Amino acid sequence: MRKKEIELIPDVKCVVMPHNHNHTKPDLTNFRKASSEVMAILAQHATIFERASIDEAYIDITANVKRMIGLPINKSKLHKTYIAGYEGSQEEQIGAWSEHVTSSTHHSYDYRLTLAAVYVNMIRAQIVAETQFTCSAGIGANKIVAKLAAGTHKPDAQTPRTLR
């Protein structure tokens, strides 16, 4: 960053990336290692695992969610979860969502989406415990919906996207 730009944005923090031996390209060795650690945890939980980039993947947890059907929804298991399309604080969103889901059948999309959010929160907690890295997640019926939801509450949060 040039001096002029630094003067315009005095609070900016510049980080120098390590470079390869002839200083022509950034050395991504540490990033690749960290990515591999996180991806290995994600793969443990997925029936289908698709790595999209060094820091993004899609996982299918449908089978895991099906095994959870019938369990009650515990709001404390939805820590750092924001519901796409709901307004208010995280606690207000979870409160309103929980009321809605409680009145749903165990086979409704929203009930299963909530179970998926509980499961993804467990995966995210495992990633933090084993790697000390946080991550964000989008949860939805398909990759496009999940991708759109993933960008809405960063960093270190998750967003399920309902069908409505």
Side-chain angles (χ1 to χ4, degrees):
M1 190 175 276
R2 296 180 302 220
K3 184 177 179 181
K4 178 182 172 187
E5 292 160 328
I6 291 172
E7 289 172 1
L8 291 172
I9 314 169
D11 295 334
V12 72
K13 304 286 186 233
C14 296
V15 177
V16 178
M17 287 277 297
H19 281 71
N20 64 3
H21 62 281
N22 54 3
H23 300 285
T24 58
K25 294 182 181 178
D27 181 0
L28 300 177
T29 304
N30 291 335
F31 294 103
R32 286 189 182 108
K33 181 180 179 294
S35 175
S36 293
E37 292 174 26
V38 172
M39 297 298 171
I41 294 169
L42 293 175
Q44 293 171 9
H45 296 279
T47 52
I48 299 172
F49 171 84
E50 180 183 331
R51 185 177 184 152
S53 68
I54 196 166
D55 68 346
E56 185 174 323
Y58 299 99
I59 62 173
D60 184 343
I61 58 169
T62 304
N64 301 332
V65 170
K66 284 182 178 177
R67 285 191 288 276
M68 296 171 68
I69 289 177
L71 296 176
I73 302 299
N74 182 342
K75 288 194 288 189
S76 69
K77 303 284 185 186
L78 295 171
H79 179 66
K80 295 186 180 182
T81 301
Y82 296 83
I83 310 300
Y86 278 65
E87 299 294 323
S89 70
Q90 188 267 342
E91 293 81 14
E92 291 169 336
Q93 289 181 31
I94 295 303
W97 180 253
S98 295
E99 286 180 30
H100 163 70
V101 171
T102 302
S103 66
S104 301
T105 69
H106 284 198
H107 296 287
S108 75
Y109 174 81
D110 291 344
Y111 170 76
R112 289 179 285 128
L113 182 69
T114 306
L115 292 177
V118 168
Y119 193 83
V120 169
N121 228 7
M122 184 266 311
I123 295 171
R124 292 176 54 247
Q126 180 183 353
I127 291 169
V128 170
E130 293 183 19
T131 68
Q132 280 67 60
F133 301 125
T134 61
C135 61
S136 299
I139 306 160
N142 58 50
K143 290 190 297 188
I144 295 169
V145 173
K147 172 73 174 168
L148 292 172
T152 56
H153 293 96
K154 290 187 174 205
D156 192 25
Q158 62 184 39
T159 308
R161 176 70 200 160
T162 66
L163 293 176
R164 37 188 183 126

